[in-house]
Amino acid sequence: MQFVDEASIIVEAGRGGNGCLSFRREKYVPKGGPDGGDGGHGGSVYLVGDDALNTLIDFKYQRFYQAESGRPGQGRQMSGRAGSDLVVKVPVGTTVIDEDTLEVIADITEIGQQVLVAQGGRRGLGNIHFKSSTNRAPRKTTPGTDGERRNLRLEMKVMADVGLLGMPNAGKSTLIRSVSAAKPKVADYPFTTLVPNLGVVKLGMHEHFVMADVPGLIEGASDGAGLGLRFLKHLTRTRLLFHVVDVAPFDESDPVEVARAIAHELEQFSPTLAERPRWLVLNKLDLVPAEEREARVAAIVEGLGWTGPVFRISAISGEGTDALVQAAHRWLTEQRRLENEDEEAAEREREMRERMEAEAVARTEARLGRRRKRRDQDDDDDDFDDDDYDVEVEYAP
């Protein structure tokens, strides 16, 4: 199945039914009076989180969603039937943004979480509501109101505890294959990972956490180069980042400079995300002679001025990976305990997530603005002139 994590849709709630203008007309009942009923309320549109979905691909093919309108009222004080609500299922981890105001309407992070995105129209009143002692035969009714219509942008972010960060070919996919049942593509060339991959790391009965592998970053990713900007937003859901660094790059690049470039791109994309706890994971130690390993590790740590946790691993052989996942599990367990027991810690986590969400939305909108600008420029350059004849056309056999 194709992985789609962004989509634009239009939702429109149902219109309310009109009120009825009617008078009683029964045999032997003179001057029966008004008996027009009310219309029915229009149906509303809701989004609900569904764990059976893991992509927004359905919204690429159906972009318009409309709830049912209410029926008009009838005589004999009969109200019209209300329109049925429309419930649209979306993946858990979907952020809903109003494209016109850029307001974040909701963040659907739980299974079954339901969010109202378009309010149904109000019903109209029948003429029975307007009778009085001075107006025995009112001919006044009210129409139903239009339902709310909205242009929405859906952005799905994978739900994970640990995110893998690093350059292409740093060994992130190999690491997630080594510690979980996930089987992402692995090859000896860059950008083998084109979409995020999730893996459940199991450490025992009821002890596990979710790890996310996103496409590798390159310099300039925060400005849209490569695949990084589009998928960096998935890391805003994680609590802990593993900065995976290749200690023996095949192109003989400097691991210190590479790690600094990644940290810079992270800072440019979201300063709040850059504040997330980040562990240095030095990978591919199996490619370094045993007598040179400690010196290579020390040089990288010193060159980065790194003061946080450092782990030495070989993802392909599994060396050091058990210690890494055990430490991550202990850290995540402690963080959850703190947030459950300390309301201030829980509030800090909520505020950090809100800031990251706002920064990710701003980056996305800037990227879309640049894309629209390029499209407009391309349209302006489409004017035909005589030089357009000076081309050679070659037909492939």
Side-chain angles (χ1 to χ4, degrees), residues 196-224:
N197 294 297
L198 292 180
V200 178
V201 182
K202 294 184 178 180
L203 297 96
M205 186 66 68
H206 307 301
E207 293 185 342
H208 64 272
F209 63 87
V210 180
M211 183 180 291
D213 168 29
V214 300
L217 303 182
I218 62 175
E219 191 170 354
S222 59
D223 293 322

Side-chain angles (χ1 to χ4, degrees), residues 138-205:
R139 295 183 174 274
K140 180 180 180 182
T141 63
T142 59
T145 61
D146 290 332
E148 193 175 11
R149 180 185 175 100
R150 267 179 158 172
N151 298 316
L152 301 180
R153 179 171 185 80
L154 306 180
E155 293 189 354
M156 192 198 79
K157 303 181 183 70
V158 297
M159 304 293 289
D161 302 299
V162 175
L164 303 183
L165 180 73
M167 292 286 281
N169 260 29
K172 302 185 298 300
S173 297
T174 304
L175 174 58
I176 200 172
R177 285 173 66 100
S178 175
V179 300
S180 75
K183 300 300 178 186
K185 181 179 179 180
V186 173
D188 59 354
Y189 54 85
F191 293 114
T192 52
T193 301
L194 300 178
V195 299
N197 294 297
L198 292 180
V200 178
V201 182
K202 294 184 178 180
L203 297 96
M205 186 66 68

Side-chain angles (χ1 to χ4, degrees), residues 165 240-245 256 259-260 263 266 274 276-282 297-311:
L165 180 73
L240 176 64
L241 298 176
F242 286 174
H243 190 159
V244 183
V245 177
V256 173
R260 284 176 177 168
L266 194 66
R276 275 296 200 202
R278 183 157 43 100
W279 293 358
L280 185 63
V281 179
L282 303 178
V297 169
I300 294 174
V301 172
E302 182 179 355
L304 290 173
W306 192 268
T307 57
V310 180
F311 291 85

Side-chain angles (χ1 to χ4, degrees), residues 110-383:
E110 299 178 2
I111 300 172
Q113 180 182 348
Q114 187 166 284
V115 176
L116 174 66
V117 293
Q119 177 67 55
R122 301 293 297 176
R123 66 182 182 182
L125 300 178
N127 64 335
I128 191 173
H129 289 278
F130 299 97
K131 67 179 180 179
S132 66
S133 59
T134 58
N135 186 3
R136 301 296 182 86
R139 295 183 174 274
K140 180 180 180 182
T141 63
T142 59
T145 61
D146 290 332
E148 193 175 11
R149 180 185 175 100
R150 267 179 158 172
N151 298 316
L152 301 180
R153 179 171 185 80
L154 306 180
E155 293 189 354
M156 192 198 79
K157 303 181 183 70
V158 297
M159 304 293 289
D161 302 299
V162 175
L164 303 183
L165 180 73
M167 292 286 281
N169 260 29
K172 302 185 298 300
S173 297
T174 304
L175 174 58
I176 200 172
R177 285 173 66 100
S178 175
V179 300
S180 75
K183 300 300 178 186
K185 181 179 179 180
V186 173
D188 59 354
Y189 54 85
F191 293 114
T192 52
T193 301
L194 300 178
V195 299
N197 294 297
L198 292 180
V200 178
V201 182
K202 294 184 178 180
L203 297 96
M205 186 66 68
H206 307 301
E207 293 185 342
H208 64 272
F209 63 87
V210 180
M211 183 180 291
D213 168 29
V214 300
L217 303 182
I218 62 175
E219 191 170 354
S222 59
D223 293 322
L227 302 174
L229 177 62
R230 179 177 175 185
F231 295 114
L232 261 176
K233 63 177 180 285
H234 293 284
L235 297 180
T236 61
R237 299 284 190 195
T238 61
R239 295 172 175 267
L240 176 64
L241 298 176
F242 286 174
H243 190 159
V244 183
V245 177
D246 183 354
V247 299
F250 68 92
D251 60 357
E252 300 184 355
S253 58
D254 185 357
V256 173
E257 293 302 321
V258 169
R260 284 176 177 168
I262 295 297
H264 175 74
E265 296 303 327
L266 194 66
E267 174 74 24
Q268 291 297 309
F269 175 77
S270 170
T272 306
L273 178 59
E275 296 174 6
R276 275 296 200 202
R278 183 157 43 100
W279 293 358
L280 185 63
V281 179
L282 303 178
N283 190 24
K284 303 187 181 181
L285 280 180
D286 56 300
L287 300 180
V288 180
E291 64 275 11
E292 298 179 12
R293 291 184 182 181
E294 286 302 320
R296 181 78 59 92
V297 169
I300 294 174
V301 172
E302 182 179 355
L304 290 173
W306 192 268
T307 57
V310 180
F311 291 85
R312 305 162 175 82
I313 71 166
S314 171
I316 196 167
S317 67
E319 178 187 350
T321 58
D322 186 62
L324 174 64
V325 297
Q326 290 286 353
H329 181 257
R330 289 193 297 269
W331 187 90
L332 291 168
T333 302
E334 179 63 18
Q335 287 299 115
R336 294 190 184 98
R337 185 191 66 79
L338 284 175
E339 291 175 19
N340 290 333
E341 297 178 358
D342 188 348
E343 181 58 34
E344 291 185 1
E347 182 61 27
R348 285 195 299 270
E349 176 65 20
R350 285 193 292 270
E351 290 178 354
M352 177 170 280
R353 287 182 180 271
E354 290 174 359
R355 291 202 308 271
M356 286 191 293
E357 183 62 42
E359 291 165 358
V361 170
R363 273 290 174 183
T364 300
E365 289 304 319
R367 176 170 61 89
L368 294 175
R370 289 194 296 268
R371 183 185 299 174
R372 285 192 291 266
K373 184 177 180 180
R374 287 196 300 268
R375 186 179 63 236
D376 293 341
Q377 290 176 344
D378 291 341
D379 291 341
D380 293 339
D381 293 340
D382 277 344
D383 295 336

